[in-house]
């Protein structure tokens, strides 16, 4: 195979990977996860890409004396949502890269 054909094949492969990455990123923004804390009293909905969609705080927590606890629970719910989003994102990206002819140990920059 001559160098010109190899370069063309490499460019086509790169274009294909870029297209698949774009599709995967769009899919991640359509998958929802829910972070929860306080036994369900605080919930954060987010996309697997990490975009926050909403926060729900049970009204029983809306007492001025519980402000610090509510803030801690909101932070915990955000962190739970982020962990779940990362997990879903990694799983989706692994599916996408599984069919690519990449060298062993090569990691795509997600």
């Amino acid at each position: 195979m001559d160098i010109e054909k190899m370069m063309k094949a490499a460019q086509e492969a790169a274009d294909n990977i870029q297209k698949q990455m774009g599709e995967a990123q769009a899919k991640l923004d359509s998958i929802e996860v829910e972070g929860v804390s306080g036994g369900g009293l605080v919930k954060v909905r987010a996309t697997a890409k990490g975009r926050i969609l909403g926060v729900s705080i049970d009204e029983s927590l809306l007492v001025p004396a519980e402000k610090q606890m509510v803030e801690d629970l909101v932070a915990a719910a955000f962190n739970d949502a982020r962990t779940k989003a990362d997990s879903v994102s990694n799983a989706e990206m692994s599916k996408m890269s599984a069919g690519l002819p990449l060298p062993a140990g090569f990691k795509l920059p997600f």
Side-chain angles (χ1 to χ4, degrees):
M1 178 180 264
D2 67 27
I3 194 83
E4 204 170 292
K5 286 182 182 177
M6 287 189 342
M7 292 296 286
K8 185 176 181 186
Q11 183 60 47
E12 287 173 2
D15 291 345
N16 189 33
I17 290 170
Q18 188 171 4
K19 179 183 173 210
Q20 288 178 350
M21 290 287 288
E23 290 169 356
Q25 291 293 326
K27 182 177 180 181
L28 290 177
D29 205 40
S30 69
I31 297 173
E32 286 189 28
V33 296
E34 183 177 71
V36 180
S37 68
L41 295 176
V42 176
K43 298 176 183 174
V44 173
R45 286 184 314 110
T47 68
K49 195 171 177 181
R51 186 169 53 94
I52 303 303
L53 301 173
V55 176
S56 172
I57 300 172
D58 188 275
E59 64 184 46
S60 68
L61 294 174
L62 300 178
V63 179
E66 301 298 329
K67 180 181 182 294
Q68 182 63 53
M69 181 184 66
V70 172
E71 291 170 347
D72 291 345
L73 289 173
V74 169
F78 271 103
N79 288 330
D80 188 44
R82 179 76 254 168
T83 298
K84 289 175 180 173
D86 287 346
S87 177
V88 170
S89 176
N90 289 336
E92 288 297 318
M93 289 304 193
S94 290
K95 285 183 205 173
M96 194 235 16
S97 64
L100 299 176
L102 300 173
F106 183 83
K107 298 255 188 246
L108 288 172
F110 298 128

